[in-house]
Amino acid sequence: MSSIPKSIRQQVISEAEQRCEYCLTSSRLIGMPLVIDHILPKSLGGSDERENLAASCYRCNEFKGARIQGIDPETDELTMFFNPRKQLWIEHFAWINGATQVIGVTAAGRVTVIALRINNEYIVATRSIWVARGWHPPY
C-alpha cells in the first residue's frame, strides 16, 4: 500500500492537468491512470512530500526507475534529470517532427528524453494519430 495520501495523489495529478509531467501524455488519451513518481526516489532519500512528487505515465515512471541523472550526449557530463517541481517543461523540451517527438533543448532535457525513452516507437506512432485528430500537442 502506498504511503502517499490519496488527497496528495489527486492534487499532484490534478495540478498536472492529468498529464505525465515528463512526456505530457494525457491519461485521458491512453486510458490509463497516471502514477506518482518520486522525483528523488525513496531509495535515494526522497520523501513523500508534495515537492518530491510528480504525475507520470507508467512508461516514464518505469524507465526512470530509481535514477535521477544521466550522461548528456552533447557534453559527456553527468546531468540531473528534468525536475518538474523546479523547472518548466517548455524551457527544457520542444516538439519536433510534427509534434510526434520530443527533443531536449538543455542537458537536463536531453538526459531525460534518453533515460525515459520519451520517443519510443510506440508513443511516436500513437502521437501521430493524436496529432491527426487535433488532440496533440498540449502546447
Side-chain angles (χ1 to χ4, degrees):
M1 177 123 189
S2 174
S3 58
I4 304 168
K6 183 177 180 181
S7 62
I8 298 295
R9 291 176 167 275
Q10 290 173 334
Q11 177 188 4
V12 170
I13 291 170
S14 176
E15 289 175 358
E17 298 177 356
Q18 318 297 321
R19 294 186 181 282
C20 173
E21 295 186 70
Y22 298 103
C23 71
L24 301 186
T25 294
S26 170
S27 65
R28 294 177 178 135
L29 291 179
I30 60 174
M32 293 184 63
L34 298 173
V35 298
I36 300 297
D37 174 60
H38 287 86
I39 298 167
L40 179 62
K42 291 183 85 169
S43 64
L44 299 177
S47 73
D48 289 340
E49 298 296 317
R50 171 67 186 98
E51 284 304 303
N52 190 44
L53 304 175
S56 177
C57 67
Y58 180 78
R59 289 188 68 98
C60 283
N61 188 257
E62 285 294 305
F63 287 129
K64 181 176 175 270
R67 297 178 296 157
I68 58 171
Q69 57 192 1
I71 301 292
D72 177 22
E74 287 193 16
T75 65
D76 285 329
E77 292 183 10
L78 192 59
T79 303
M80 299 295 289
F81 292 161
F82 168 72
N83 181 328
R85 292 288 74 75
K86 296 180 178 177
Q87 300 168 313
L88 295 175
W89 193 94
I90 198 75
E91 294 177 356
H92 294 272
F93 305 97
W95 296 108
I96 62 169
N97 296 333
T100 61
Q101 295 184 314
V102 177
I103 59 167
V105 296
T106 64
R110 289 187 292 272
V111 297
T112 303
V113 167
I114 293 167
L116 278 56
R117 303 181 196 175
I118 288 176
N119 294 315
N120 70 75
E121 64 184 282
Y122 302 105
I123 195 65
V124 169
T126 301
R127 284 180 192 139
S128 69
I129 296 169
W130 296 341
V131 168
R133 300 281 190 260
W135 301 336
H136 181 82
Y139 52 82

